[in-house]
Every structure is written in C-alpha cells, then in structure tokens.
Amino acid sequence: LEDAVIVVKDDDGKTVVRVTIDPQPGRSAMTGGMWTGLFGLLLGGPVGWAAGAAIGAGAGALTAKVVDLGISDEWVGWFREAVKPGTATVAILASEIVEDHLVKEVHRFAGAELVYANFDDEMMARLRDALIE
C-alpha cells in the first residue's frame, strides 16, 4: 500500500478528505516553526527564535500545499466530485498486488461499488463479482 485517500460526503453534500501520506499544512507549519525557531534561538537568541519560528511555520505550510505524494490532487478532486452524498469512498494506490488475495479481501465489502481500477477486464470482472457475492 503506497497511499490511501478517504473521501466522505454527508447527506448535505459537505465533503471531508483525509490523505494518508501528503503533508498536512498545520502539522508541517508546526514542525517547520519548531525546528527553525530552535535554530534561530541558537543563532540569534529570542529575536532569532521568533523570526525563525515565523519563517519556518510559513515555509512548512507552503510546502504542504505544494508537495503532492501518492494519489495526485487531480484524482482526489475527481473522487471528491464522484462520491455520492451519504457515502464514503476509499481510494488506494498499491503496487505488487497478489490478485487472488485482493479478490478474497474484497469479498468482505459485499454491496460496495467499484468506482475505478486499472486492471484488465478479467480482473475487473472478478472484483465486481466479489462485491456482488
């Protein structure tokens, strides 16, 4: 499993997205502010701490907005629009998949809908059948 995105849309159409590996702006700002603040404190005392913390927090938040790891922001946007109100969508980016194990695991989610996958036609049919059973 390389990345996963969970998209939940409530009955009113409000969407919440959780991304597993992309940096989050709040956490990145806090981490950047802490480390550059510490570095500023060592170099410039209290004034260096304040300046370093402010610059690091801004840089951390900006970096989180620019960096896109795993599932692309375009796909996340597509899933945000595609998910139906009152449901949730899980997008998974995986490599080196053992197809028989995947089909066995999908049986647990009977009744779910497969929105998109880039498997061949035979594997897509196996997954759809597993969701029906």
Side-chain angles (χ1 to χ4, degrees):
L1 181 64
E2 294 181 23
D3 190 14
V5 175
I6 302 163
V7 182
V8 178
K9 188 179 282 187
D10 66 15
D11 292 330
D12 298 328
K14 181 182 177 213
T15 307
V16 176
V17 177
R18 296 284 181 232
V19 182
T20 59
I21 66 168
D22 281 351
Q24 301 299 311
R27 180 175 288 167
S28 297
M30 182 178 69
T31 303
M34 180 184 73
W35 285 110
T36 55
L38 178 61
F39 187 68
L41 180 64
L42 293 173
L43 292 179
V47 173
W49 171 79
I55 291 169
L62 179 63
T63 300
K65 291 289 187 183
V66 173
V67 171
D68 186 18
L69 305 170
I71 297 173
S72 72
D73 290 340
E74 290 81 19
W75 275 104
V76 173
W78 183 84
F79 284 114
R80 181 186 290 264
E81 295 300 318
V83 68
K84 298 172 186 169
T87 64
T89 296
V90 178
I92 297 172
L93 177 62
S95 61
E96 300 180 31
I97 296 171
V98 178
E99 293 179 355
D100 291 334
H101 293 172
L102 177 62
V103 171
K104 184 179 178 182
E105 188 66 23
V106 166
H107 276 284
R108 293 182 24 198
F109 302 97
E113 179 183 352
L114 179 62
V115 177
Y116 174 82
N118 61 350
F119 292 111
D120 61 30
D121 293 339
E122 179 186 339
M123 183 60 181
M124 291 294 287
R126 289 178 66 195
L127 289 172
R128 285 196 176 96
D129 289 345
L131 290 171
I132 293 171
E133 296 176 2

